[in-house]
Amino acid sequence: PSAVWPGGSIQSSFPVLSAGASSLPRDHELGAMFAGLGDALAKRKQYVDNAGSVTEAAGTGTGRAELSSAISSGGSKFVLLQGGLEKSPTGFTGLVNQGATCYLNSLIQSLFMVPEFRQALYAWEFNEADHGEEDRCLSRQLQRLFAQLQLSKRAAVTTGSLTKSFGWSGSEAFVQQDVQECMSVIFAHLEMQSLWDHIPQMHEGKSFDYLKCHKCGQSRGHPEKFRDLQLGVRGMTSLQQSFEAYTSGEEMEGVECPHCGTRETHTKGIAFRKLPEIMTLQLRRFDMNYETMQRVKVNDAVDIPAVIDMAPFISTDDGGEGEGAPAEGASGPQEYELISICMHIGSALSGHYFAYIKESGTGRWLNFNDANVTELEQSQLAGILSTLPPEEGGAGGSAGAAASDSGIGGAAAVAAAAAAAAAKKPADASAKVGERGGPAPVKPATSNAYMLVYRKLHGGNVHAVDEALVPAAVKAHIDEENEKFDKLKAEWEEERKWLNMTVYHTGPAKPLKVHEDRTVAELTQMAFGLFSEIMEGEGVPIERVRLRWFDALKNACLAPLDNGSSGSNPTTMDTKLKDLPEEMVRRPLKFEVKEEGGEFEDYLANGLPLSIMVYDADKQEFGEPLPLSVDPDATVGQLREAVATRAKLDLERTSIVWYPGAEAFGGVVPLEDPAVTLKSLKIGDVSSTLHVEDKLPSEPSKLSEYFEGLSNMITINFNDPRTAADAGAQPRTPTTVDAGVAAMVKGMHADELALNGEKKYVQVDQRKPLGELKDQIAAEIGMAPSEFKLRRGAGGQEYKDLGMAVALHGLEEGHTIHIKLGTPMEVGEWQFNLKYCPELDGDVSALGPFVLNEAMSIPDVKAVLHAQFGESHGVPSPERMRLRTAQSTGVMTRVKLGSVMTDDSIIAEVFGAKIADGKMIAIQITSGPEVFTSEHMLLRARHWSPVSKVLGDVEEIGVLRTGNFSDLGAALAPSVNEKRLAKPLEGAGGAVEPLGEATVEDVYAVKPFAYLLKDLANLPTLKWEPQPKAETKLSNWGRLKDGDLIVYKDNREPEDITPEMADKLAAEQLQTTIAHEEAGFQIFSPQQQKEREEARKIENEQLKKEQEEKVKMIHAAAMERANEGTEAPATITSELPPPAPSSS
């Protein structure tokens, strides 16, 4: 088998047999491997993954180490190289996305590219006494990050230190937030933590929110400060329109005017008094659809100018009483250049942010997309900005150059040039949008523009920030980081010169790490050394081997490493590995061995690689695989000639069979028609292995018969109970709780091995009866079949029908059967889990597993249980015993009771099709004999008294399954009367008479969720109203079934519903229509961070304790299940009555 699938004794999804695992001949070993081909590619992949543990993926040899893989591996020293080795050709540094922090990255890059902001941030001085711990100071970490963006040699840096200063614990980085909200919160914390006055100076504007009377013309209002403007885009085509809509105001009728003394029509609006130096505009792209109550995104495209004149929007006089002072700064130029566009692609619920940002001084536009920074092409820029140079060439043309020389970043010059061109050539009114001379077109790309940043143009604009302004301590840290980066980069580049190869031959694949400067000859010698013992045992010297690239998925040898002059990349034994094709270096290698005195295969470049297996019918085995490459367009006839020559067979006696492995791929395909092409058969697509038989066409094919039987062979895994530890020994447990959860889990694995034994496997024809499989296992473990059970897993069902085929039991390739010592059960016998419930709704005690026959009547079961457990556990006599189905609640001392097992039924009728090993039966005590049939339903009930605020204990109520709601009221009325209030009620006119006998109409009942009963304050808010109609069937009311809990009350007792309870009721009614509140962007103060860390520490300690307790319980439960059946449980099989007829 190792000659075909080099894997030796390694267990995988392919059932390769190890020595001593089975007495089957060698052809079954090979056949089992080919049986694994039945699942085609999936199982081949798993085989390669398992057989070559050094191989990272199917069919690969891993080749050169990848930086991303090295960084993702735990504790990699190359983590500083995250983001890439080479910086962007633009010279700018990107930002690594922590998970969903693209919005933060876009904002940081936009702020960094504002020279005034960066200059002010560098000028700020950190002082631990004033600003607290350095790691928790947002301003300091932002300062460091900006310095990294300017000075780092890395392609991209991380925002981890910045978000750590936010007080984030990790999960926040995976929640996408709004970029505008993020900016507002960061600005607020920069001021709060650092007393920084740059933001109000550069980013703050002033407006006047006014009301102007139409009659007297007087205005009144109040000034406002703003740091960003939110402009509408729905129905707008340009930014100009958005500003007009923002400042146009709206008419309001019937507003009282203090000057006129009457109610008059007013205009309510906003007037700009002062615009900030850096103007941030948020385009309102996210809206609410009130019909669906869902957020939606507005994708309307708007025209975005490269330069905008804001003078028309600044008010110098609003006509108010003393409020009409000239606007601040309104006398000078009010031109603003666009410097940043934050883009959002996606929906209102998710998406991706990136930013187009203009470099001050050069005028070039850059695309900042997380770790990637690229320069925008002029064609891309033309698709975004509406203000373009008058001639062809885009913003980077002559006007842009002139602007660069003037030192104003190009925007004003572009606008001036455009204005001059417009003056020379007036606009053509008939021209269409987009034509020269016509109105500016709306750019489709701007439908994703979300936040715009404009900078006011004046002579004092800053265009560059000298690195000398970076604080010395920060610069020293970055210099140290750059030095470490250079060293790691050199180490990585050297690491990349080492190739991780995987070499196949007989036995498991072996890893080989070799330097790229080695030659093919040296690689061959090193690989030969890995298999020196095997080669010596086979009598093969190094002169008789050569290395070939290997496709492990298809079991096909590809080109030899020394291919001479064949192929597009000729190589020799002196070729260095670094000169080999990169795509081939990723493949594994395999040795080709030639016969003594023979020649290697004459490899056909660009041919179809095949593997030829010759079957010896007398020996019932296959020979060593023979590599063969043929023309992909060859016919079956041409293939037969090539195979006969390669296998040294007579052409007339060369019979070829192709076995893809599964019927879905064609099953066994005899290659008989000489005119059929290999391409039409898709040979090589799934499997490249051909099987050859030495026979005449008229003779029957033993090879086809072999594969037909082989396709039904499967491998079944099992445990050997002989190697298990003594079942009575105490299981090993950690000595202390401090050993931790990991130690407990490790101990559980050790206990499992000790209790269950070593793993083994056998092969069986899935068409054979299960008894044959059990006989094989019995022979393997040296026990009689009557001494052990076959179970579906350690705690699963027992396989009982030994006469049914293996396949019909649901057993498939690779499945595991659990072997348990003890007497096996017969067909019709089931092992039940017995629970004794001496008190209603109290703790239960486990009586252990107990075997019963499905044909037993319930009275017989009661008699047997009393005889077995009456004396030892106090189980009552059959006359006072009630049996019920039950389910686990997750708490070992509690069960959920189900239907009553009535005396007129048998076990098979009670459980029906759901009968199985492990089903639970609960034993209850009754006060005496009871008449209970399958037509009755047993409910749990609790009485609620609104006046005394008492919720009674659990009681049981029996009703007919076919009954209606009035029947339930009649059953509950005696209990209501028994518990009715004896004292008079307080009425509006004083005390009234005590309550009389309750009628059915006075009884109210609800079926609540159990958790609501934990707090009595919830009882008045239950859905008492409206009650179902009297004729409503109980099966339709709450889908009542056995064991359900209801709460009932006397409706004449008034409920005391407080205003808080009423609000709760109203909230619950609106619960389905209220959308979940979204968590906004948050930054925590240093004090909040410390409090959160302390809270997390306490929470983690508590969680650790809970986990340890849970693992202890799981461990104990696992040990209990593993020990179940050590001694065969009592089995009742003697003198069984015949199945009783249905009592219905």
Side-chain angles (χ1 to χ4, degrees):
S2 59
V4 183
W5 294 96
S9 61
I10 294 179
Q11 293 190 41
S12 67
S13 61
F14 282 79
V16 183
L17 297 180
S18 60
S22 175
S23 59
L24 295 175
R26 184 169 182 244
D27 70 308
H28 282 78
E29 299 179 35
L30 179 60
M33 289 183 289
F34 281 103
L37 286 172
D39 291 331
L41 297 177
K43 290 198 174 182
R44 285 196 183 88
K45 178 184 183 303
Q46 189 173 352
Y47 167 78
V48 175
D49 290 344
N50 292 340
S53 58
V54 299
T55 306
E56 291 188 355
T60 69
T62 69
R64 300 182 190 276
E66 295 294 338
L67 182 58
S68 58
S69 299
I71 293 175
S72 63
S73 61
S76 171
K77 66 177 180 179
F78 296 112
V79 69
L80 193 62
L81 304 182
Q82 186 178 18
L85 298 174
E86 302 299 334
K87 205 164 187 174
S88 165
T90 63
F92 287 92
T93 302
L95 290 171
V96 176
N97 193 324
Q98 294 188 51
T101 55
C102 52
Y103 68 95
L104 178 63
N105 292 349
S106 300
L107 175 63
I108 295 299
Q109 295 285 21
S110 297
L111 294 176
F112 173 77
M113 293 296 283
V114 178
E116 291 85 352
F117 188 92
R118 195 190 330 167
Q119 197 175 58
L121 185 62
Y122 288 162
W124 175 82
E125 295 183 2
F126 170 74
N127 185 297
E128 189 170 356
D130 296 330
H131 305 125
E133 299 175 36
E134 190 171 8
D135 290 346
R136 300 184 192 271
C137 180
L138 187 153
S139 301
R140 182 59 158 182
Q141 296 309 319
L142 187 62
Q143 189 182 67
R144 276 189 172 183
L145 183 58
F146 272 31
Q148 283 182 313
L149 291 174
Q150 183 166 351
L151 304 176
S152 178
K153 294 183 178 181
R154 298 157 63 180
V157 296
T158 179
T159 54
S161 296
L162 178 65
T163 56
K164 183 179 178 182
S165 72
F166 293 171
W168 289 6
S169 59
S171 60
E172 294 91 343
F174 293 91
V175 179
Q176 190 175 98
Q177 301 286 356
D178 182 81
V179 67
Q180 184 272 338
E181 182 185 12
C182 173
M183 183 188 73
S184 299
V185 175
I186 287 180
F187 276 9
H189 277 261
L190 284 173
E191 289 185 275
M192 180 178 65
Q193 289 187 17
S194 311
L195 305 178
W196 197 27
D197 59 1
H198 168 77
I199 292 176
Q201 289 177 3
M202 298 295 295
H203 294 265
E204 195 168 87
K206 296 179 181 179
S207 64
F208 187 72
D209 192 347
Y210 67 87
L211 275 173
K212 185 173 184 178
C213 179
H214 286 199
K215 182 177 181 181
C216 65
Q218 295 294 317
S219 298
R220 62 190 184 276
H222 57 275
E224 295 278 357
K225 295 179 180 180
F226 66 88
R227 291 179 181 175
D228 60 79
L229 299 173
Q230 299 185 17
L231 304 180
V233 293
R234 188 185 292 276
M236 308 292 177
T237 59
S238 67
L239 202 63
Q240 182 88 5
Q241 270 190 310
S242 296
F243 269 114
E244 290 172 356
Y246 189 86
T247 57
S248 61
E250 59 177 336
E251 288 191 1
M252 301 178 65
E253 297 181 356
V255 178
E256 186 169 346
C257 176
H259 302 283
C260 302
T262 57
R263 293 183 177 275
E264 304 294 338
T265 301
H266 284 65
T267 296
K268 176 177 173 58
I270 296 175
F272 292 125
R273 289 295 184 80
K274 173 182 176 294
L275 292 176
E277 293 289 309
I278 307 298
M279 182 171 62
T280 302
L281 310 177
Q282 182 196 8
L283 305 184
R284 294 174 54 187
R285 294 214 173 270
F286 301 114
D287 206 349
M288 174 65 73
N289 184 330
Y290 289 100
E291 292 183 359
T292 62
M293 297 301 293
Q294 297 290 324
R295 290 182 65 190
V296 293
K297 184 179 179 183
V298 180
N299 291 309
D300 293 19
V302 292
D303 212 19
I304 299 177
V307 175
I308 186 171
D309 184 9
M310 293 298 296
F313 303 105
I314 300 178
S315 174
T316 57
D317 191 353
D318 54 32
E321 299 174 325
E323 298 289 351
E328 302 176 33
S331 58
Q334 298 298 316
E335 286 189 331
Y336 282 77
E337 66 165 336
L338 179 68
I339 60 174
S340 174
I341 309 174
C342 186
M343 309 287 284
H344 178 274
I345 295 178
S347 68
L349 302 178
S350 63
H352 178 63
Y353 285 96
F354 58 95
Y356 296 142
I357 306 177
K358 181 180 180 181
E359 183 183 12
S360 183
T362 66
R364 66 172 176 166
W365 280 83
L366 304 166
N367 179 4
F368 289 84
N369 192 343
D370 287 336
N372 301 314
V373 185
T374 56
E375 186 170 353
L376 277 177
E377 299 290 339
Q378 296 305 315
S379 58
Q380 294 175 293
L381 190 60
I384 300 170
L385 303 181
S386 60
T387 306
L388 294 174
E391 303 299 331
E392 305 292 344
S398 58
S404 179
D405 293 340
S406 68
I408 59 174
V414 168
K424 293 179 181 180
K425 184 177 180 181
D428 182 2
S430 64
K432 297 179 180 179
V433 172
E435 292 182 348
R436 187 170 295 281
V442 175
K443 309 297 181 182
T446 63
S447 62
N448 292 314
Y450 182 53
M451 191 173 78
L452 312 177
V453 180
Y454 280 86
R455 181 172 72 160
K456 189 174 183 180
L457 289 170
H458 52 72
N461 288 137
V462 179
H463 301 296
V465 179
D466 196 325
E467 66 179 55
L469 297 177
V470 178
V474 175
K475 188 174 185 304
H477 173 78
I478 297 175
D479 289 342
E480 181 181 343
E481 197 175 73
N482 284 336
E483 184 179 348
K484 185 178 180 180
F485 175 81
D486 288 337
K487 181 179 178 182
L488 285 176
K489 182 179 177 182
E491 287 185 34
W492 176 252
E493 289 173 347
E494 179 60 29
E495 177 75 17
R496 285 273 295 168
K497 295 179 181 179
W498 288 86
L499 305 177
N500 297 303
M501 315 291 286
T502 302
V503 186
Y504 284 83
H505 188 53
T506 304
K510 296 187 178 182
L512 177 62
K513 192 169 185 176
V514 58
H515 198 274
E516 65 175 10
D517 287 333
R518 295 283 191 177
T519 64
V520 172
E522 291 172 321
L523 171 63
T524 304
Q525 191 171 14
M526 296 170 67
F528 187 85
L530 294 176
F531 296 91
S532 58
E533 293 185 8
I534 297 175
M535 293 291 188
E536 184 178 348
E538 295 175 351
V540 177
I542 193 171
E543 293 78 17
R544 285 176 51 197
V545 300
R546 70 171 176 178
L547 287 174
R548 296 181 66 165
W549 302 114
F550 184 51
D551 187 337
L553 287 178
K554 298 179 180 179
N555 189 33
C557 287
L558 307 179
L561 271 65
D562 57 326
N563 60 20
S565 59
S566 64
S568 57
N569 297 287
T571 57
T572 66
M573 295 296 285
D574 294 327
T575 300
K576 290 188 175 182
L577 301 185
K578 64 182 178 183
D579 297 325
L580 296 175
E582 186 68 26
E583 66 274 10
M584 297 303 290
V585 172
R586 293 179 176 273
R587 290 192 176 276
L589 303 168
K590 185 177 180 181
F591 275 114
E592 177 187 0
V593 182
K594 67 179 180 179
E595 295 181 358
E596 189 172 357
E599 298 293 334
F600 291 115
E601 182 215 357
D602 187 11
Y603 175 73
L604 177 64
N606 300 319
L608 175 64
L610 301 171
S611 182
I612 307 302
M613 302 292 301
V614 180
Y615 181 65
D616 189 330
D618 295 331
K619 296 181 180 180
Q620 295 187 349
E621 65 180 16
F622 287 87
E624 297 294 323
L626 301 174
L628 174 66
S629 55
V630 298
D631 190 332
D633 296 319
T635 63
V636 169
Q638 294 169 329
L639 173 66
R640 285 184 63 196
E641 294 178 2
V643 169
T645 302
R646 187 78 175 93
K648 298 179 181 180
L649 297 175
D650 201 4
L651 179 59
E652 292 184 359
R653 297 187 60 83
T654 301
S655 175
I656 307 174
V657 170
W658 182 47
Y659 180 66
E663 293 182 4
F665 293 97
V668 178
V669 183
L671 304 184
E672 298 173 343
D673 189 347
V676 176
T677 63
L678 304 185
K679 186 174 293 185
S680 65
L681 294 172
K682 297 184 179 180
I683 292 178
D685 290 354
V686 177
S687 173
S688 298
T689 302
L690 299 178
H691 306 90
V692 181
E693 185 179 10
D694 183 4
K695 79 173 191 66
L696 291 172
S698 59
E699 296 175 350
S701 174
K702 295 183 179 180
L703 188 57
S704 296
E705 295 176 1
Y706 169 74
F707 279 124
E708 184 179 353
L710 194 63
S711 61
N712 286 292
M713 295 294 290
I714 60 173
T715 297
I716 299 297
N717 302 302
F718 65 93
N719 60 292
D720 185 352
R722 300 173 306 167
T723 59
D726 182 5
Q730 291 296 322
R732 184 179 63 83
T733 56
T735 55
T736 63
V737 175
D738 294 336
V741 174
M744 291 188 195
V745 174
K746 185 176 180 181
M748 289 171 62
H749 290 313
D751 292 335
E752 180 185 0
L753 180 61
L755 287 167
N756 298 329
E758 297 177 358
K759 300 296 183 183
K760 291 191 175 182
Y761 54 96
V762 294
Q763 291 177 314
V764 65
D765 189 329
Q766 60 183 348
R767 298 170 296 181
K768 300 293 184 180
L770 185 67
E772 290 197 15
L773 171 60
K774 190 170 186 181
D775 291 340
Q776 284 185 249
I777 295 176
E780 182 68 29
I781 63 177
M783 298 180 67
S786 59
E787 295 179 323
F788 62 91
K789 314 172 187 179
L790 303 181
R791 297 172 71 175
R792 189 188 298 270
Q797 303 292 302
E798 182 177 340
Y799 295 106
K800 303 163 189 171
D801 193 346
L802 301 182
M804 191 164 64
V806 171
L808 296 180
H809 282 281
L811 293 170
E812 298 178 356
E813 170 65 31
H815 280 192
T816 298
I817 283 181
H818 183 78
I819 307 300
K820 193 71 178 177
L821 299 178
T823 304
M825 289 187 286
E826 300 291 338
V827 176
E829 293 180 343
W830 304 95
Q831 181 173 289
F832 293 94
N833 191 5
L834 299 181
K835 300 291 184 180
Y836 181 37
C837 312
E839 296 180 4
L840 182 61
D841 210 43
D843 290 345
V844 302
S845 56
L847 301 181
F850 198 82
V851 175
L852 298 168
N853 192 289
E854 63 184 19
M856 291 183 68
S857 67
I858 301 306
D860 288 341
V861 174
K862 291 180 178 179
V864 168
L865 295 182
H866 175 68
Q868 183 73 23
F869 300 105
E871 185 175 343
S872 60
H873 291 80
V875 170
S877 62
E879 294 77 18
R880 297 184 57 216
M881 185 189 305
R882 179 194 295 155
L883 299 182
R884 300 181 68 172
T885 62
Q887 294 179 349
S888 173
T889 62
V891 180
M892 299 181 68
T893 58
R894 293 278 176 163
V895 295
K896 181 180 180 181
L897 297 175
S899 60
V900 176
M901 301 170 64
T902 59
D903 288 348
D904 57 352
S905 60
I906 63 174
I907 290 180
E909 293 173 342
V910 172
F911 291 96
K914 295 182 179 180
I915 192 168
D917 292 327
K919 286 291 184 179
M920 193 178 293
I921 294 178
I923 303 173
Q924 287 184 294
I925 304 176
T926 64
S927 57
E930 60 181 2
V931 180
F932 205 92
T933 69
S934 56
E935 297 178 357
H936 288 86
M937 175 168 52
L938 200 59
L939 303 175
R940 297 159 61 237
R942 299 185 72 176
H943 176 262
W944 163 245
S945 173
V947 173
S948 58
K949 300 292 188 296
V950 173
L951 181 64
D953 295 332
V954 175
E955 52 191 304
E956 290 185 322
I957 302 293
V959 294
L960 287 172
R961 297 182 188 277
T962 57
N964 51 36
F965 196 74
S966 62
D967 294 332
L968 177 63
L972 293 172
S975 181
V976 169
N977 287 320
E978 181 183 342
K979 301 177 177 65
R980 72 179 186 273
L981 296 175
K983 62 181 181 180
L985 294 175
E986 292 292 333
V992 297
E993 292 296 324
L995 294 175
E997 289 284 334
T999 64
V1000 173
E1001 290 74 19
D1002 296 328
V1003 179
Y1004 275 33
V1006 293
K1007 181 188 172 186
F1009 291 109
Y1011 73 90
L1012 293 174
L1013 304 184
K1014 295 180 180 179
D1015 185 356
L1016 294 184
N1018 294 324
L1019 270 297
T1021 63
L1022 297 180
K1023 294 182 180 180
W1024 296 104
E1025 297 283 355
Q1027 286 286 289
K1029 295 181 180 179
E1031 62 272 15
T1032 301
K1033 294 293 184 183
L1034 292 178
S1035 57
N1036 296 330
W1037 179 69
R1039 296 181 179 180
L1040 279 182
K1041 59 183 181 298
D1042 287 279
D1044 281 351
L1045 175 68
I1046 60 173
V1047 176
Y1048 65 98
K1049 70 173 183 177
D1050 188 337
N1051 191 49
R1052 295 173 298 174
E1053 292 188 34
E1055 291 280 10
D1056 183 16
I1057 299 182
T1058 63
E1060 292 78 10
M1061 292 179 182
D1063 292 342
K1064 180 180 178 182
L1065 280 172
E1068 288 178 350
Q1069 292 173 357
L1070 292 174
Q1071 179 176 335
T1072 56
T1073 59
I1074 296 178
H1076 293 291
E1077 183 179 355
E1078 297 181 4
F1081 182 84
Q1082 281 187 297
I1083 295 178
F1084 301 95
S1085 68
Q1087 181 59 34
Q1088 289 175 321
Q1089 293 179 32
K1090 293 176 182 178
E1091 292 172 357
R1092 280 163 53 87
E1093 289 169 4
E1094 184 63 28
R1096 278 197 300 269
K1097 181 180 178 181
I1098 296 173
E1099 182 181 350
N1100 290 338
E1101 290 177 353
Q1102 180 64 29
L1103 181 61
K1104 181 181 177 182
K1105 291 180 180 178
E1106 292 177 359
Q1107 288 177 332
E1108 289 174 345
E1109 291 298 324
K1110 186 174 181 180
V1111 170
K1112 280 184 176 180
M1113 288 181 62
I1114 295 174
H1115 181 266
M1119 299 303 296
E1120 181 180 351
R1121 286 196 303 269
N1123 283 316
E1124 281 182 9
T1126 302
E1127 296 180 3
T1131 305
I1132 310 303
T1133 59
S1134 61
E1135 299 181 1
L1136 292 176
S1142 173
S1143 60
S1144 60

